[in-house]
Amino acid sequence: TGQVGDPCDIQDGKYTGIDNCDLGLICLLTDEDGKGGACVEFCDTNDACPDTSGAKCVVYNDGSLPICLSDCDPLVQDCPEGQACYNSAGDNFVCFKESAMPGMGTPGDECAYINQCQKGSFCAAATALADCPTTNCCTPYCPVSGGNAPCNMGEDCVAFFAMGSAPPGLEDVGVCSVPG
């Protein structure tokens, strides 16, 4: 019976798919036991989110999970408590549960998923970073107009989007990376 944004739980474990959200919604953003989540709308057949204000349709799991997540700004990190603003599905930035444990997911730490980095960081390929000993590591988002202050030695604040292709309002979004 839960509606968009209502608290929810998943019965009998995180992956059963049995939750207390209404038809057309799914319980996401839970803890490891499937508790304490929020009801999230599935995208409609036009990849729209008619019941979730300020949401974008993002598709996960090779097309099997089209969900509506709140739009956000990675430089502002304007997501609810326990969530962070992550890049997802091309030029989308959406709020999703931050899964990095305290003290982990900091710049230079290994990551395999977008939400394994702390709030304000991006999971980047090692080839884009000055000092990443594995396949992918966390690196900070940064304002292109603000210089290289949050970046590690050997990295610059590089525009996240190619010149002229940034969505409106995201033109200043950058990520610390090896210049190239």
Side-chain angles (χ1 to χ4, degrees), residues 3 9 15 36 40 47 49 58 61 63 72 74 89 94 105 110 122 142 147 153-154 157 166 168 180:
Q3 298 302 303
D9 295 314
Y15 301 105
V40 173
D47 292 335
C49 302
V58 290
N61 297 359
C72 60
V94 295
E110 180 180 5
F122 173 71
C142 51
M153 288 281 285
C157 185

Side-chain angles (χ1 to χ4, degrees), residues 71-86:
D71 192 20
C72 60
D73 183 328
L75 297 178
V76 177
Q77 290 293 320
D78 49 352
C79 296
E81 184 66 33
Q83 297 181 37
C85 186
Y86 296 105

Side-chain angles (χ1 to χ4, degrees), residues 10-153:
I10 302 172
Q11 293 178 2
D12 301 323
K14 190 173 179 175
Y15 301 105
T16 65
I18 303 168
D19 61 40
N20 58 323
C21 296
D22 202 3
L23 187 65
L25 306 175
I26 184 172
C27 186
L28 291 178
L29 311 173
T30 65
D31 63 16
E32 287 304 311
D33 297 323
K35 306 293 183 204
C39 294
V40 173
E41 178 183 12
F42 282 107
C43 307
D44 68 14
T45 55
N46 297 315
D47 292 335
C49 302
D51 296 328
T52 310
S53 178
K56 289 186 177 180
C57 178
V58 290
V59 182
Y60 294 104
N61 297 359
D62 296 323
S64 65
L65 186 61
I67 53 176
C68 298
L69 297 175
S70 296
D71 192 20
C72 60
D73 183 328
L75 297 178
V76 177
Q77 290 293 320
D78 49 352
C79 296
E81 184 66 33
Q83 297 181 37
C85 186
Y86 296 105
N87 172 255
S88 181
D91 65 354
N92 291 316
F93 283 95
V94 295
C95 295
F96 203 75
K97 184 176 181 97
E98 183 182 11
S99 68
M101 300 302 291
M104 299 177 72
T106 60
D109 287 351
E110 180 180 5
C111 57
Y113 306 103
I114 61 169
N115 63 335
Q116 284 183 305
C117 296
Q118 295 285 345
K119 185 180 284 194
S121 292
F122 173 71
C123 185
T127 56
L129 304 174
D131 188 24
C132 178
T134 183
T135 307
N136 300 301
C137 290
C138 300
T139 190
Y141 287 110
C142 51
V144 175
S145 63
N148 298 325
C151 301
N152 291 324
M153 288 281 285

